[in-house]
Amino acid sequence: MDLSLRTCKKFVHLDLKGAPPRIGYFIELIQLFADLGANGLLIEYEDMFPYEGELQVLQSKSQPPYSREEIASIQDAASSRGLEIIPLVQTFGHLEFVLKHKVFRDLREVDCCLGTLNPNCDRGVKLVQEMLKQVMKLHPNSTSLHIGADEVYMLGLGDESKQWLTAPGRNVHQLFLGHVLKVAKSIQESLPNLKLIMWDDMLRSMTSETIKESGLVGLVQPMLWDYSPTLDVNNAVALMELYKSAGMSQQWAASSFKGSTTVHTCVTGTQRHVDNHLQWLNVASNLSAGIKLQGIALTGWQRYDHLSVLCELMPLGLPSLASCLQTLQHGSFTEEVQKKVIETLGTVEVADTERLSPRTSSTFGGAKLAELIVKLTSSLESAELRHFQNNMFVRGWFTSYHIQKKTVNPLIAQQIKTQAKMFLDAVEIQVVEVRAEMRLLYSDSTVQEWMDQHVTPVLEPLHNLLRDIDRVLQEMGLCI
């Protein structure tokens, strides 16, 4: 049992680039996070931040960003429960929400890659500096800032970078480190007491000497992330020891409680995320004394990136989050842990609808939506619905050939229609319920996006089939 992870700060990551909750639900979540044992929030606003001036174009177009007053209320709610807030602002990779705009297109490293900033352009550095300045101005009490810098794809493939790399002794590692150093130093000059954190993945292939000579040591603390339930403990320990040998003894870990199963997952499975945290406990117990673990961020991704579909909504991930936080506090996923989670939320597994059904005082905010989505997802994933067009009658008597030649058996066509309509009507009753409940917690644009991504693709083939049946029967002069 490792005390370093049990006693270090535990930050819940809020990924607001997808399905940002209505402010009332946001405040409710903050209270719940505190009740579950969190010490802070790692908030990634992206396009939900009220950027001003030249940066106003970065604001979400599908819904209004959080207002300055709402951001103040988020901080007040967190402060009232003793939760620290660390803003996360991407400064190199994953800048799709910035570089997708025409006005910033020329700042891309490679034109087809919307995520990576050209590190050779002063305007790009100034853009990042202005983003950081505006975010920190609205977070005057935050003592730490996360500058991202993960998954900087296509780095070194832009024309200016290729030119820079032609000089003897230069490589892509130095190109990466040089940009991060510029950003970190500029922050240090204006906010000298601010602690800086960065994702570690771009450092993993570097030698200890390369990192040591970069100038980043003492400026930035690495956050090593791994969300796998089968996390390689020895590899993670070796990486953290590598960073320590480079002079970075203050380090962070990052686990996951949702949003890392598949890009389109709708229902969170608790066990895989608990397993991830059990592996992190193993990592921490194998670290040398010289590594000073500052905390762990429990990430809850809402999208894989700015342009991907929505992952599980927050209510679906709360039982997992509670289980993971309690696992970290107790050092294992014991019966005591599960009892504590059930006392707080009513369940440790969101798919356990029997526990979610009763609307008791201990049921968590968003539980009804979670229950409805679990049921709807089960219906949408049923073989009968998802593969309806493969059933015997459709494949035997209502193929594209039959439609084209108008050689349709009306009796069987009516039978197909009746069965398809029965499935659709049952599911669409559930859809109406989900939509109504979701609107209480999320904006209309989020509700519509979720429906378009997770519901419409499954139901559309049946709607098309019904239209084809009606059209063909009508063309054949038969009653519909």
Side-chain angles (χ1 to χ4, degrees), residues 262-462:
T262 69
V263 70
H264 52 76
T265 298
C266 286
V267 178
T268 307
T270 292
Q271 189 61 55
R272 68 171 283 118
H273 297 291
V274 166
D275 288 345
N276 174 240
H277 288 78
L278 292 173
Q279 292 297 84
W280 270 114
L281 285 165
N282 288 334
V283 171
S285 66
N286 283 282
L287 295 175
S288 64
I291 294 176
K292 301 169 185 175
L293 204 55
Q294 304 298 293
I296 181 169
L298 291 83
T299 64
W301 299 102
Q302 197 54 72
R303 302 184 194 276
Y304 274 29
D305 67 33
H306 180 77
L307 301 171
S308 64
V309 301
L310 294 170
C311 302
E312 315 100 293
L313 298 177
M314 183 59 78
L316 282 297
L318 289 175
S320 171
L321 174 62
S323 300
C324 293
L325 281 168
Q326 288 296 311
T327 295
L328 291 177
Q329 286 189 357
H330 289 77
S332 58
F333 190 51
T334 61
E335 288 186 14
E336 181 185 357
V337 165
Q338 296 177 55
K339 183 180 178 182
K340 169 69 174 173
V341 175
I342 290 171
E343 286 175 356
T344 308
L345 301 184
T347 182
V348 296
E349 182 66 56
V350 74
D352 185 356
T353 54
E354 290 182 4
R355 282 207 181 107
L356 281 173
S357 295
R359 297 292 287 169
T360 64
S361 58
S362 63
T363 302
F364 59 93
K368 185 177 180 183
L369 176 60
E371 175 193 354
L372 291 172
I373 287 179
V374 167
K375 290 179 177 177
L376 174 58
T377 301
S378 178
S379 297
L380 293 172
E381 291 180 349
S382 69
E384 286 182 316
L385 184 68
R386 190 170 282 272
H387 304 295
F388 185 83
Q389 290 180 300
N390 287 331
N391 83 25
M392 181 181 74
F393 294 106
V394 176
R395 294 195 67 175
W397 284 272
F398 202 75
T399 65
S400 57
Y401 175 85
H402 292 99
I403 295 171
Q404 181 184 356
K405 299 295 184 182
K406 296 184 178 59
T407 56
V408 171
N409 183 321
L411 188 62
I412 292 182
Q414 287 286 5
Q415 184 176 340
I416 294 169
K417 178 179 177 179
T418 299
Q419 191 176 17
K421 197 168 186 312
M422 179 184 70
F423 285 142
L424 274 174
D425 288 348
V427 172
E428 286 178 342
I429 289 171
Q430 293 179 293
V431 170
V432 169
E433 292 179 318
V434 168
R435 187 185 291 273
E437 191 65 25
M438 199 182 294
R439 288 184 69 183
L440 300 177
L441 308 182
Y442 297 98
S443 69
D444 290 349
S445 63
T446 291
V447 176
Q448 192 58 50
E449 180 183 0
W450 192 90
M451 293 292 172
D452 288 345
Q453 291 175 349
H454 297 292
V455 178
T456 302
V458 181
L459 300 188
E460 195 168 40
L462 269 74

Side-chain angles (χ1 to χ4, degrees), residues 97-263:
F97 83 104
V98 177
L99 301 177
K100 71 178 183 180
H101 296 287
K102 288 183 180 179
V103 67
F104 299 126
R105 180 173 179 173
D106 62 328
L107 299 181
R108 301 174 192 171
E109 169 73 332
V110 177
D111 191 53
C112 65
C113 179
L114 275 63
T116 299
L117 189 71
N118 176 358
N120 306 281
C121 179
D122 288 341
R123 182 172 164 239
V125 175
K126 289 176 182 177
L127 168 67
V128 166
Q129 290 171 337
E130 181 60 24
M131 289 167 57
L132 294 169
K133 177 183 174 182
Q134 291 193 26
V135 169
M136 292 314 299
K137 185 178 180 181
L138 294 193
H139 293 81
N141 298 320
S142 290
T143 58
S144 298
L145 167 67
H146 198 306
I147 61 171
D150 61 316
E151 299 182 328
V152 188
Y153 301 129
M154 312 293 283
L155 182 61
L157 299 183
D159 291 339
E160 290 181 72
S161 290
K162 286 179 179 177
Q163 182 60 38
W164 187 89
L165 290 167
T166 58
R170 290 180 176 177
N171 57 49
V172 174
H173 290 331
Q174 293 169 340
L175 188 62
F176 171 80
L177 293 166
H179 175 76
V180 176
L181 186 64
K182 283 181 195 174
V183 172
K185 280 189 171 180
S186 70
I187 300 168
Q188 186 187 49
E189 289 172 6
S190 56
L191 297 167
N193 296 320
L194 194 64
K195 296 175 184 175
L196 301 182
I197 305 166
M198 66 178 284
W199 298 119
D200 84 300
D201 54 284
M202 296 298 290
L203 304 175
R204 293 177 189 175
S205 59
M206 299 183 192
T207 65
S208 173
E209 288 302 313
T210 297
I211 298 171
K212 190 181 297 183
E213 294 169 2
S214 69
L216 281 180
V217 177
L219 273 179
V220 182
Q221 299 170 0
M223 179 178 278
L224 195 149
W225 60 271
D226 195 316
Y227 312 142
S228 171
T230 58
L231 180 161
D232 186 331
V233 172
N234 291 334
N235 184 59
V237 169
L239 283 171
M240 297 180 90
E241 295 291 348
L242 169 73
Y243 302 148
K244 184 197 77 171
S245 69
M248 292 178 159
S249 58
Q250 295 180 315
Q251 301 178 28
W252 296 71
S255 57
S256 172
F257 72 91
K258 80 172 191 74
S260 58
T261 304
T262 69
V263 70

Side-chain angles (χ1 to χ4, degrees), residues 39-87:
N39 307 111
L41 308 174
L42 177 63
I43 303 182
E44 187 167 357
Y45 292 101
E46 211 182 73
D47 60 357
M48 286 302 293
F49 186 81
Y51 286 108
E52 298 179 326
E54 184 190 17
L55 300 186
Q56 190 171 358
V57 69
L58 303 183
Q59 294 182 12
S60 171
K61 302 300 183 293
S62 60
Q63 60 189 295
Y66 293 114
S67 68
R68 300 166 74 86
E69 292 74 23
E70 286 172 334
I71 288 178
S73 70
I74 290 167
Q75 292 173 88
D76 289 342
S79 178
S80 71
R81 296 301 305 274
L83 299 184
E84 181 182 345
I85 290 182
I86 300 178

